[in-house]
Amino acid sequence: MPRFYIDTVKGCEETRDEDGETYRDIVEARQATILALPGLCDSDIPDGMTQHYRAILRDEFGKILYTADLNFCGKWEI
């Protein structure tokens, strides 16, 4: 089974996946990339009310295969 790597970006903080995971195929790896995004958000919502999150799927050669982005934007209405 092929090994894939999922790097993450939370605001300006980048985390490179050095270990990787094996997945049946690129479709399963893509799903894992998408599912990584909610974990980045956890309870760390910024005071500035906006935050960008990104998960990046790479193959074993370092080639970027897929990126998933999530943007949080909150606005007080009071």
Side-chain angles (χ1 to χ4, degrees), residues 9 37 52-56 66-71:
V9 179
L37 287 171
H52 178 158
Y53 304 94
R54 173 175 278 181
I56 303 159
Y66 180 81
T67 59
D69 292 279
L70 179 65
N71 290 304

Side-chain angles (χ1 to χ4, degrees), residues 5-20:
Y5 300 82
I6 301 173
D7 304 327
T8 57
V9 179
K10 182 178 182 177
C12 295
E13 179 185 321
E14 297 183 28
T15 304
R16 187 165 177 89
D17 181 356
E18 299 292 343
D19 301 322

Side-chain angles (χ1 to χ4, degrees), residues 7-65:
D7 304 327
T8 57
V9 179
K10 182 178 182 177
C12 295
E13 179 185 321
E14 297 183 28
T15 304
R16 187 165 177 89
D17 181 356
E18 299 292 343
D19 301 322
E21 294 278 338
T22 55
Y23 296 100
R24 186 176 54 249
D25 55 27
I26 194 170
V27 174
E28 187 177 58
R30 174 189 170 270
Q31 185 66 23
T33 303
I34 293 167
L35 292 175
L37 287 171
L40 293 175
C41 301
D42 54 31
S43 62
D44 189 26
I45 301 300
D47 285 337
M49 303 306 284
T50 62
Q51 184 69 276
H52 178 158
Y53 304 94
R54 173 175 278 181
I56 303 159
L57 177 64
R58 295 182 291 115
D59 66 12
E60 66 251 20
F61 304 108
K63 181 179 179 183
I64 295 174
L65 305 173

